[in-house]
């Protein structure tokens, strides 16, 4: 499923992607007989906890199924990381953990959802042959939102909320403010999780601008407690479904097809890429119900828009509370992505 070339160019541009403001990145191409046959990136992110431990990253790995090509690519990336003082390598990160991450190792028979990578099955074998081993797995869940919620979840949601708890959708008139709230909750909720890198103000602004054409106000929900934003969830129409046959280009008629599919005919799938609850609200009664309030707000309005299936991704393999929430509403893990590591 070819990504939009204009989006890829922006993501890999130091002038446009704020990730380059706090990271050093080097790109490599493998060329054989004048033809590009593979690619890889190497990066050192000063905001990542991995860097403090002497771990650099690789990403953007893609190549023809040839062990010599993979060996040449990783030799170049590893040499660059060693020159930067790194003692180990992990990846793939394309380019940040907050963008695309992980190598697809299970679930190749289904198409990728927006902002999630997709890899040929042989890639894992080639990487492992070079001495890389699993560092962490993450899962993507598939959720048929047409199915009724389990009884005990419905009973939880039917309880009268305390007066200080307010559930509301995104306010497009105060879009910048709500994006700021979202970022604050995200950075607080995910702090301390494996590999967590906080979103910077520049990255938040970039994300808000680039995703705004896809944002549907009634599919982004907040919970406020005593006037303080406590939890949020973002559900986006699956852009990949709308661009599946455009060949990566919006010209000459791609724009019209894309707008028609997103705004008129609609898409049947969506993704929840961001969700979080402030740490101080993760315990007690509020901690138990807040995620379900947000999920149900997104779910009900996605159904109204004709969406049938939602990918919930990604979830760390050891994030058992979030995995349990996903499974309680009836979603199933259907893709596995792996982060590999190796001492240099």
């Amino acid at each position: 499923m070819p990504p939009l070339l204009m989006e890829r160019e922006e993501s890999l541009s130091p002038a446009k992607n704020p990730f380059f403001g706090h990271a050093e990145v080097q790109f490599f191409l493998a060329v054989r007989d004048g033809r590009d046959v593979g690619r890889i990136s190497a990066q050192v992110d000063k905001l990542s906890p991995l860097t403090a431990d002497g771990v650099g990253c690789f990403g953007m790995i893609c190549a023809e199924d040839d062990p010599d090509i993979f060996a040449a690519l990783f030799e170049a990336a590893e040499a660059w990381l060693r020159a930067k003082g790194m003692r180990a390598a992990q990846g793939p990160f394309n380019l940040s953990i907050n963008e695309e991450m992980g190598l697809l190792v299970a679930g190749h028979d289904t198409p990728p959802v927006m902002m999630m990578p997709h890899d040929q099955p042989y890639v894992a074998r080639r990487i492992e042959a070079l001495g890389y081993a699993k560092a962490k797995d993450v899962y993507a869940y598939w959720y048929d939102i047409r199915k009724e919620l389990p009884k005990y979840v419905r009973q939880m949601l039917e309880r009268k909320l305390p007066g200080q708890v307010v559930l509301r959708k995104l306010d497009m008139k105060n879009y910048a403010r709500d994006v700021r709230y979202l970022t604050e909750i995200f950075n607080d909720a995910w702090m301390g999780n494996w590999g967590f890198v906080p979103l910077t103000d520049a990255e938040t602004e970039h994300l808000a601008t680039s995703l705004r054409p896809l944002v549907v106000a009634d599919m982004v929900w907040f919970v406020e407690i005593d006037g303080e934003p406590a939890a949020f969830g973002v559900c986006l129409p699956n852009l990949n479904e709308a661009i599946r046959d455009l060949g990566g280009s919006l010209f000459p008629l791609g724009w019209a097809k894309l707008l028609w599919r997103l705004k008129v005919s609609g898409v049947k799938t969506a993704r929840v890429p961001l969700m979080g609850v402030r740490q101080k609200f993760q315990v007690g009664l509020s901690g138990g119900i807040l995620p379900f309030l947000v999920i149900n707000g997104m779910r009900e309005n996605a159904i109204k828009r004709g969406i049938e299936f939602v990918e919930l991704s990604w979830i760390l393999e050891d994030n058992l509370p979030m995995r349990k929430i996903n499974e309680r509403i009836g979603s199933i893990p259907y893709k596995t992505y792996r982060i590999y590591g190796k001492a240099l």
Side-chain angles (χ1 to χ4, degrees), residues 55-94:
V55 180
C57 298
F58 71 88
M60 308 302 299
I61 181 64
C62 186
E64 295 182 0
D65 189 10
D66 183 325
D68 291 338
I69 297 174
F70 278 87
L73 288 168
F74 275 90
E75 181 181 354
E78 292 169 4
W80 186 87
L81 290 173
R82 279 193 295 268
K84 295 295 179 181
M86 299 296 105
R87 301 185 300 274
Q90 282 190 6
F93 296 99
N94 308 332

Side-chain angles (χ1 to χ4, degrees), residues 4 17 44 47 50 88 145 149 169 172 181 186 197 203 216 226 244-245 267-268 273 289 298 309 319:
L4 291 176
N17 186 348
V44 175
L47 296 184
L50 295 175
I145 64 174
L149 290 170
K169 65 182 181 181
M172 293 301 291
Y181 288 163
F186 173 81
V197 178
E203 286 172 319
V216 179
D226 293 327
R244 62 191 181 279
D245 58 353
V267 295
K268 299 298 183 184
I289 195 173
M298 294 186 293
F309 299 94
N319 187 348

Side-chain angles (χ1 to χ4, degrees), residues 187-336:
N187 284 342
D188 178 84
W190 292 92
M191 185 187 307
N193 279 5
W194 181 89
F196 170 74
V197 178
L199 287 171
T200 65
D201 291 341
E203 286 172 319
T204 298
E205 183 177 348
H206 176 73
L207 190 67
T209 301
S210 60
L211 292 181
R212 184 159 186 159
L214 290 176
V215 169
V216 179
D218 58 15
M219 286 168 55
V220 180
W221 285 83
F222 290 87
V223 177
E224 296 179 347
I225 299 180
D226 293 327
E228 180 182 2
F232 79 96
V234 176
C235 185
L236 298 174
N238 179 19
L239 178 65
N240 279 12
E241 183 182 338
I243 65 171
R244 62 191 181 279
D245 58 353
L246 301 185
S249 175
L250 292 178
F251 301 99
L253 299 177
W255 280 107
K257 290 180 179 179
L258 177 59
L259 290 174
W260 176 266
R261 291 166 180 171
L262 288 177
K263 304 298 184 181
V264 182
S265 64
V267 295
K268 299 298 183 184
T269 57
R271 180 185 173 217
V272 174
L274 294 170
M275 185 173 168
V277 178
R278 284 191 190 272
Q279 291 190 27
K280 70 178 183 180
F281 296 116
Q282 290 178 8
V283 295
L285 178 61
S286 62
I289 195 173
L290 293 189
F292 294 103
L293 287 173
V294 170
I295 288 171
N296 195 51
M298 294 186 293
R299 172 184 171 272
E300 289 184 343
N301 287 280
I303 290 174
K304 291 177 183 177
R305 293 184 173 275
I307 290 171
E308 299 177 353
F309 299 94
V310 175
E311 182 178 285
L312 309 168
S313 60
W314 45 263
I315 313 296
L316 287 165
E317 63 179 334
D318 49 7
N319 187 348
L320 299 183
M322 194 67 238
R323 291 181 60 187
K324 190 174 182 180
I325 289 170
N326 284 350
E327 289 160 15
R328 276 183 172 176
I329 62 174
S331 66
I332 58 171
Y334 83 121
K335 289 181 185 287
T336 303

